Amino acid sequence: MADLRRAGVAFRVRWPWLRRIDPDRTWRSLPEHEERTVAAVFRAATLSVLGNGESTLFWLDNGLQGSSVRCIVQAVFAAVPKRRRHVSVAEALHGRAWVQHVTGPRTMRLLTDFIALSNIVEQVQLSPGLPDTFNWRLMADNQYSAALAYGAMFLGASRPLGAKLI
């Protein structure tokens, strides 16, 4: 039996996917309302391959060492205000602007993570004129699939005892 809530999420993940892989869509300039669950599935299932860094979000997308800054250095991410988290890699690296995004109390964990992030950022090489690409991790051809997005939401889930009998 299908879980309609998860099926809806799997289908709605298509919009952020299309927004990222096809910047010429006419509706791309419309305001975007980000659903928390849809964004989480999108970020878990995609990998950004950096080109010019203009489409990949510095703090949120899986573009640095196959992961996101959010996952690699959690203390630094927690010290970045929400309004600053949607900057592109190109914007963040220009003049080391990402450093100015980090605010709040300076703790030992924050400083340790900050140094780790600095070392990662030093290795990033952008390619002007070459757009970022997004790969769908769940498919061999790296393309979005609603069926696999739906199935992925059940990974690690177990059925309640007696569910088949019910």
Side-chain angles (χ1 to χ4, degrees):
M1 179 180 241
D3 181 330
L4 294 179
R5 184 180 55 80
R6 291 183 190 186
V9 169
F11 284 115
R12 288 192 311 275
V13 168
R14 183 169 194 248
W15 298 116
W17 171 256
L18 289 173
R19 191 177 284 275
R20 296 297 183 84
I21 66 160
D22 190 0
D24 296 329
R25 296 252 174 183
T26 55
W27 50 262
R28 185 174 174 8
S29 62
L30 293 174
E32 180 180 0
H33 171 70
E34 184 175 88
E35 291 179 70
R36 196 178 268 183
T37 306
V38 170
V41 172
F42 174 79
R43 289 191 180 107
T46 57
L47 174 67
S48 175
V49 178
L50 290 174
N52 57 18
E54 293 175 5
S55 300
T56 301
L57 300 179
F58 180 79
W59 298 105
L60 301 170
D61 287 337
N62 295 320
L64 300 176
Q65 297 181 338
S67 193
S68 67
V69 172
R70 167 190 242 161
C71 294
I72 298 171
V73 286
Q74 295 170 0
V76 173
F77 180 78
V80 175
K82 288 182 182 180
R83 69 182 184 280
R84 299 270 186 141
R85 292 180 181 171
H86 286 83
V87 298
S88 70
V89 171
E91 292 169 323
L93 296 183
H94 182 72
R96 295 179 47 97
W98 68 271
V99 173
Q100 302 302 319
H101 298 172
V102 181
T103 60
R106 306 292 190 241
T107 64
M108 185 55 76
R109 172 81 192 270
L110 177 65
L111 294 174
T112 303
D113 280 1
F114 187 87
I115 291 168
L117 181 57
S118 294
N119 292 333
I120 292 168
V121 168
E122 284 179 16
Q123 298 171 14
V124 174
Q125 297 292 321
L126 298 180
S127 303
L130 184 66
D132 299 341
T133 58
F134 288 84
N135 295 333
W136 189 256
R137 294 182 188 198
L138 306 176
M139 291 287 288
D141 67 356
N142 296 323
Q143 296 301 307
Y144 164 81
S145 162
L148 286 178
Y150 177 75
M153 287 187 269
F154 290 96
L155 293 174
S158 61
R159 295 173 71 179
L161 221 56
K164 189 172 184 177
L165 296 174
I166 295 172

